[in-house]
Amino acid sequence: MFGREGICAVVAAKQPGAMARQLREARRETRLVELRLDWLASEHKIVRFLGRLRRRPRHHARVALIATCRRREAGGQFAGTVAAQLALLRLASECGCAWVDVEIETAERLRQGALRRLSGSAHVIVSFHDFRRTPSDLTVVLRRLKRAGGNAFKIATQCRTISDSLRVLSLARRGRCIVAVPMGEMGLPARILALRAGSAIAYAALENATAPGQISLVEMKRLYRAEKLDRRTRVYGLIGDPVSHSLSPRMHNAGFHVRGINAVYLPFLVRDLRDFLHAIEPLGVAGFSITLPHKEAILRLLDDCDALAAAIGAVNTVVVRGGGKLYGYNTDYVGVLRALEQRISLAGSRVLIFGAGGAARAVAFALAQGGAAVSICARRAHRANSLARAMGGEAIERRELRREFFDAIVNATPVGMHPHEDRSPLSAAELNCRLVFDLIYRPQKTKLLQLAERRGIETVSGVEMFLAQGTAQWEIWTGERAPVAAMRRSVLAALRDERRWRDRE
Ligand code: NAP
């Protein structure tokens, strides 16, 4: 009856016409669609939209429709009374909706059996939402839903930690008629893994997200392939704060897809490393990438670490080995070398690094290892001095840059990164070199690279390092050669899309 239904596209719009258009689009992608009737601008518009459904049944043939008309009291947009809500849901059932979703706040007001009668021939999902937190005892919540009646039970709660999201997921194992929805950015990996965990449905927005952390249908289906994930799927991911901007999921999932590897790469928003580490075993995490601010802190929590990563003092890649043992690497190092070696011969060259943070450290060690003489310039002289001392280079003051010549200059500061694209960390007069390498990859062509090009200097974008460090991670995890061309294509396509969006704004 209510088996594993799959991804449900959520259709939500103010106008009946827009809602109908979204429904047509959703139908091309999935067999299950939720109609958020409460999003329509008035009761009159809801009736008009439902009338349209009734008149054109072939528009939703082969699609199971879930009608939702959530009241404001339960976090929805419907301002009418309970009686009006139930009348509309009844009408939705008569117009072809196979399911109606009734929130617990409404369901508990009804007498025993009334829910089924009111919903007509449609099945009923009784739903519980908490947009602030995940209650400490979800079993109590589930019992409450079951007492209210209905054919299926949905629990959607805001996850403040990854442990919260695991608790929501664990409900999915309690029966085929349970829908587990971990909400919020912390809950995103669990939201994507919900079907695998046994949830009957995973929701994804067609256009407008109707709940915190809800991702688009395209991402759910094509990027994460949520319906295809099973118990054997190896889980990888990026941990950091923030992570939502990262292109790593695009890059790594493209690699898995092209090679036909049963694995998925997810963005984990992590504030507390231990909270994430507890999720490794239950989620089946086989490896992860690390970004700011955890690259150094993770070192203390590893079982072992590559000698190079230990020398750099930062880890950006972890492999989970047998017994849950964590082994760390630094592929930023490899990324720098791969990005630069094809352009200049490092041995005997003179390279300036501008900036003395985490990335500068990996760059400095990589260049020194490649045989370059490294100079460091940073706005805080003591940081430049200490990095220069650690890797056997020299610190240089900013005012000397106009007089000095380098084979390459590397920008290891975030100056010029989106949304401050009009800034350059260095002026044109300070670019006395043959090549400029900007670690920033958003935008692909930074202001610094534009200045360099105008002076006839060769340029390398941070995209090259991003791809090189990512493909090196992929190879460590899979033991196979990475499909570099496919991974590059997916990253460049994402950057192109972003540029288009920005130009339109
Ligand atoms: P970080 O640890 O925060 O270090 C940033 C460095 O830039 C510090 O030395 C900081 O100086 C300096 N800085 C910041 N704002 C500045 C300003 N307005 N003027 C002069 N110096 C400034 O960051 P990170 O991890 O090293 O990352 C640096 C950049 O590299 C970021 O844009 C990041 O996206 C990029 N990156 C790219 C890749 C890739 O694969 N392409 C990989 C890693 C990093 P203070 O210490 O004085 O604050």
Side-chain angles (χ1 to χ4, degrees), residues 234-407:
R234 278 180 286 158
V235 174
Y236 296 93
L238 169 68
I239 68 166
D241 180 12
V243 288
S244 60
H245 66 288
S246 174
L247 295 182
S248 293
R250 295 283 291 247
M251 172 169 61
H252 286 291
N253 285 321
F256 294 141
H257 189 51
V258 163
R259 286 278 190 267
I261 295 175
N262 185 4
V264 65
Y265 185 98
L266 307 169
F268 288 90
L269 174 64
V270 172
R271 304 231 157 91
D272 171 359
L273 275 172
R274 288 187 190 279
D275 178 39
F276 169 74
L277 296 183
H278 288 138
I280 289 179
E281 202 259 325
L283 292 183
V285 176
F288 50 97
S289 322
I290 301 117
T291 188
L292 287 173
H294 304 306
K295 279 187 180 180
E296 287 154 34
I298 191 78
L299 266 163
R300 290 191 296 279
L301 300 166
L302 300 176
D303 292 289
D304 208 347
C305 176
D306 179 57
L308 208 57
I312 296 170
V315 159
N316 79 329
T317 310
V318 168
V319 178
V320 182
R321 295 194 170 155
K325 295 251 183 299
L326 305 180
Y327 195 91
Y329 297 86
N330 189 310
T331 68
D332 282 337
Y333 173 96
V334 185
V336 177
L337 290 182
R338 285 196 193 157
L340 276 183
E341 267 172 351
Q342 291 148 357
R343 307 294 194 95
I344 59 168
S345 154
L346 286 177
S349 66
R350 187 173 186 227
V351 182
L352 169 76
I353 300 173
F354 189 60
R361 232 181 132 76
V363 175
F365 274 85
L367 294 178
Q369 188 86 357
V374 178
S375 304
I376 318 270
C377 179
R379 65 177 171 184
R380 286 191 285 167
H382 74 274
R383 293 207 72 186
N385 286 329
S386 99
L387 177 53
R389 253 197 321 278
M391 45 67 61
E394 62 159 3
I396 185 168
E397 289 191 28
R398 176 89 188 239
R399 63 180 139 79
E400 291 176 55
L401 298 187
R402 287 167 186 263
R403 294 196 298 272
E404 298 283 335
F405 186 85
F406 300 93
D407 292 292

Side-chain angles (χ1 to χ4, degrees), residues 409-411 415 423-427 431 436-438 446-453 459:
I409 293 180
V410 182
N411 172 41
V415 182
R423 297 190 195 155
S424 169
L426 295 169
S427 68
L431 301 180
V436 172
F437 175 22
D438 198 338
T446 57
K447 177 89 181 193
L448 174 69
L449 295 185
Q450 292 171 30
L451 288 179
E453 265 181 11
T459 59

Side-chain angles (χ1 to χ4, degrees), residues 355-359 379-380 383 412-415 417 439-441 462 465-466:
R379 65 177 171 184
R380 286 191 285 167
R383 293 207 72 186
T413 76
V415 182
M417 196 161 81
L439 294 199
I440 293 171
Y441 64 87
M465 175 177 164
F466 177 70

